Structure formats: C-alpha cells, structure tokens
Amino acid sequence: MHTQRLNLSVLSPRVGLSALAVTGLLATAACGTESGSDDSGSGSVGTRQATGITGKQWNVESVTADGKTQDAPAGAHIEFGKDGKVGGNYGCNHFGATAEIEGDTITIGDDTFKTEMACTADGTMGFESRLGGIISGSTFKAEVNDDRLTLTTENGYTVKLTAEKPAELYGTKWNVTTMTKGAAGGESGVALASEAEGKVHLTFDKDGTVRGQLGCNKVTAKATVGDGTITLGAPGTTRKMCSASLMDTEKTLLKLFGGTVKYQLKGSTLTLTSENGPGVQAVAAK
C-alpha cells in the first residue's frame, strides 16, 4: 500500500529554494515564448509515449484517493522533462523530483523537494498535501488521450490532468500569485497576502505598454519586449492609500519598473525576474 508523504521538503528553508528556481527546474524551459515544437516521429512505443507526455504543462484537474475526488486549485500543474526530472506546482508550492518514463509507466523518485509558502485560499493546503503524498515515490500507469492525461497508482489513486494551451504574452490578463524579494539571491518565494489575492495583475499590449493593478493603485508604463527580456519604463500610478499589506505589496511590485527584467512564458505561467530586485510569477486569467 502506498504511504503518503506529507512533508516533502528535503531542504532546510535556510537553503532559500526560490519558487522561480523550481519553475526553471526542467531543461525544457526556455526564456521567452516557446516554439511549441513536437518531436513526434518514429521510435519505440516507449519513446512515442514519453514524447506525448514530456515538454508540456499538464494542469491538474482533480485527484481521487480513498473514493474521494477533490478538484485542484488554480495553478496546480505538473511538467515532465526530457532530462529525467519532473516539476510543477501543487496549487501553492512549487516542487521538483526525478522521474523515469518507460512505455506507459512513470516512476517518480522520493527525492521530492518543494518551496515553503503558506497559502490562505480555502482547501489549497489540504489539496497540496494530498497531491504531494500521492506523487512522491510513486509509480503510475499513464493514459494519454489527446490533451488529457490520467495517472493511476497500483492502489487506484488517480490524478487527472489536461494539457495547457500556451497563453499569449500580449493581451492576456496575468494574475500575480507569487513574489520574491531577491530572485537572483535565491530568496524563497512568498504567496501574496490574502488581502491582495485576485487584486494584482498586469496586461501587456502590442502598442508597447503595460497596464494593471498593483493591489491598491492602477499602473501604466512603457514595455519593450526583447528576446527573453522586457524593459519596463517608469510607472505612472493612481494615488490611493490602502491598508499596510496592500501598500507593501505595491511597493515591492513597483521595483520591477524602471529597468529590464527577464521573462519566461510556459503554458499559462509567466515569470518575471529582475537581476537584483523582486521577481513575480503570474498565471493567465481564465
């Protein structure tokens, strides 16, 4: 019988595993917009099966264990790399581990590590414990049906996933979910304060501007998109005063402006990373 492992971190929080670093775990990640090429073609059945699974962002739809099905929170996803690694997000924290795919069998190592954020949305941490306990150190039978993937353990636990259609950088409302105060230095990512959840977002337009909400005030600025980088101009904002937590969030986000940030677009996730200042991760609004 599979034993759930609810505490998956094998790193001390002092190591400072960044949420942005975990996002970049897979070798399949690339800065900027991915080409989305598919290496289909000839090969063994095992190779074709692996090709249909690797290099994609699979959004978790639900988990079924002990006869109970639990829907996944927004942002929960899994990515299998071609380099023998798996990574993703449980719905709050990012995780990574080793993984082996042979035919329709996927074995995930028990060397799972994860970030150490605490999220406040109802049911998020409970789902994270359940999904994490099922994934770590487990062997699955994988069934791929077009854009759907079902993972099933020996004792009948199932994880249902859907392939994410890549979002466009331009014209998408990017809801910010995670911030780091020093991505380059490896500081841990932190979830937005509960008061700021759903109130922080950015939209990039093809006319070379970005607009959005910082939690309290609206913001607009020039945005010049390059090869894996975005140069953000000086921000123009409204002048409202809000609670201390919202103003702290806003102050951190404003440090992204007036400089160049690296960006990474994978599926429905956008990561912005400045060299010495804050970083953010955002998901495409549905």
Side-chain angles (χ1 to χ4, degrees), residues 190-273:
V190 294
L192 293 181
S194 58
E195 191 178 4
E197 288 179 358
K199 297 179 181 178
V200 182
H201 56 82
L202 297 171
T203 301
F204 294 90
D205 294 322
K206 289 184 178 180
D207 64 0
T209 62
V210 61
R211 53 188 168 80
Q213 186 85 22
L214 299 176
C216 179
N217 286 286
K218 295 180 180 179
V219 64
T220 59
K222 290 184 178 180
T224 303
V225 178
D227 183 12
T229 65
I230 302 175
T231 300
L232 299 172
T237 67
T238 52
R239 299 290 182 179
K240 292 194 301 181
M241 292 298 295
C242 297
S243 66
S245 64
L246 287 179
M247 297 308 293
D248 285 346
T249 298
E250 186 164 301
K251 183 183 295 186
T252 300
L253 290 167
L254 283 171
K255 293 178 182 178
L256 288 170
F257 294 84
T260 298
V261 298
K262 293 182 179 179
Y263 85 93
Q264 185 181 93
L265 180 59
K266 295 175 62 184
S268 62
T269 301
L270 173 67
T271 301
L272 303 177
T273 311

Side-chain angles (χ1 to χ4, degrees), residues 139-143 150-159:
T139 298
F140 298 91
K141 289 296 181 183
E143 180 182 348
T150 301
L151 304 177
T152 306
T153 65
E154 293 179 353
N155 54 356
Y157 293 173
T158 61
V159 181

Side-chain angles (χ1 to χ4, degrees), residues 7-9 11 13 17 93 114-118 188-189:
N7 182 5
L8 303 180
S9 177
L11 299 178
L17 178 65
N93 282 288
K114 71 182 183 75
T115 53
E116 296 293 336
M117 296 187 295
S188 297

Side-chain angles (χ1 to χ4, degrees), residues 44-50 53 100-106 141-142:
S44 67
V45 173
T47 300
R48 292 197 298 272
Q49 179 78 0
I53 294 173
E100 181 180 349
I101 302 177
E102 270 195 44
D104 63 352
T105 301
I106 299 176
K141 289 296 181 183

Side-chain angles (χ1 to χ4, degrees), residues 106-128:
I106 299 176
T107 302
I108 297 179
D110 59 5
D111 54 351
T112 312
F113 58 89
K114 71 182 183 75
T115 53
E116 296 293 336
M117 296 187 295
C119 296
T120 57
D122 289 345
T124 298
M125 300 309 291
F127 182 88
E128 176 165 305

